[in-house]
Amino acid sequence: MMDQVTQAQVYQYDGDLSGEWPVTIGSQPYTIYSRNTNSGTPIQKATQYFGEHLQNLGVDVEYHQWGGSTYPNVIGEIPGLVNPDNIYILCAHIDDMPSSGNAPGADDNASGVVAVMLAADILSQYQWGCTLRFAAWTGEEQGLNGSAAYAQRSYNEGENIVGV
């Protein structure tokens, strides 16, 4: 599996998320110049980009609204075939700083999201006994808001999250 990770793919995904060049989102070109949680259209486009990437892999996607319509967490899921109640989450925060102007955030945290995207690229090729979730959190730069809201929801629903 590790041999499937290439430097070129890491560079491509990181540049896509950091505004190095336009990407296709909703069949239209768009340059993600910021991923700040409160940036409006830019964070909506960034989360849509991540969600569409997962959907293109055949992964079911949920946009988890935790505090507003423009900044959802994005959760992709591959249901387990043997023990679907055992859930493992691969995640990173997709939002970045600063709150105004360009905020490319290549290291904070496009690189983490790239790792989740690459994991989804590879792991979606296989069937799993457990459930795998791929998550991109928003609101993390404002106090871990998106992941906390998701953890609370998972707790309230009695989910068995075995590892993150």
Side-chain angles (χ1 to χ4, degrees):
M1 287 184 195
M2 290 299 297
D3 291 340
Q4 294 181 53
V5 177
T6 67
Q7 183 177 2
Q9 196 62 60
V10 171
Y11 180 78
Q12 180 69 47
Y13 289 165
D14 196 63
D16 290 353
L17 287 163
S18 303
E20 288 294 314
W21 42 74
V23 294
T24 301
I25 304 171
S27 302
Q28 299 293 317
Y30 185 84
T31 302
I32 303 171
Y33 66 88
S34 175
R35 296 185 319 280
N36 184 276
T37 292
N38 298 313
S39 63
T41 298
I43 190 63
Q44 184 275 324
K45 293 292 189 180
T47 55
Q48 183 180 353
Y49 169 81
F50 181 78
E52 288 178 358
H53 180 83
L54 295 177
Q55 288 173 327
N56 289 338
L57 297 172
V59 175
D60 293 330
V61 173
E62 172 197 3
Y63 290 90
H64 169 237
Q65 298 292 338
W66 59 267
S69 61
T70 62
Y71 43 86
N73 293 321
V74 184
I75 314 298
E77 181 175 283
I78 299 173
L81 300 177
V82 178
N83 297 305
D85 291 338
N86 291 341
I87 302 165
Y88 290 86
I89 300 176
L90 296 94
C91 60
H93 70 95
I94 196 167
D95 65 328
D96 67 359
M97 294 297 286
S99 58
S100 63
N102 288 349
D107 291 331
D108 186 19
N109 189 23
S111 59
V113 176
V114 168
V116 175
M117 291 171 67
L118 289 167
D121 290 351
I122 295 165
L123 299 176
S124 65
Q125 299 173 49
Y126 304 92
Q127 295 182 335
W128 297 92
C130 60
T131 294
L132 299 181
R133 290 190 184 155
F134 306 94
W137 312 122
T138 56
E140 298 303 279
E141 297 287 6
Q142 292 74 37
L144 308 179
N145 296 327
S147 61
Y150 188 79
Q152 186 63 56
R153 184 185 86 168
S154 294
Y155 173 80
N156 292 346
E157 293 180 2
E159 292 185 332
N160 183 34
I161 298 175
V162 180
V164 177

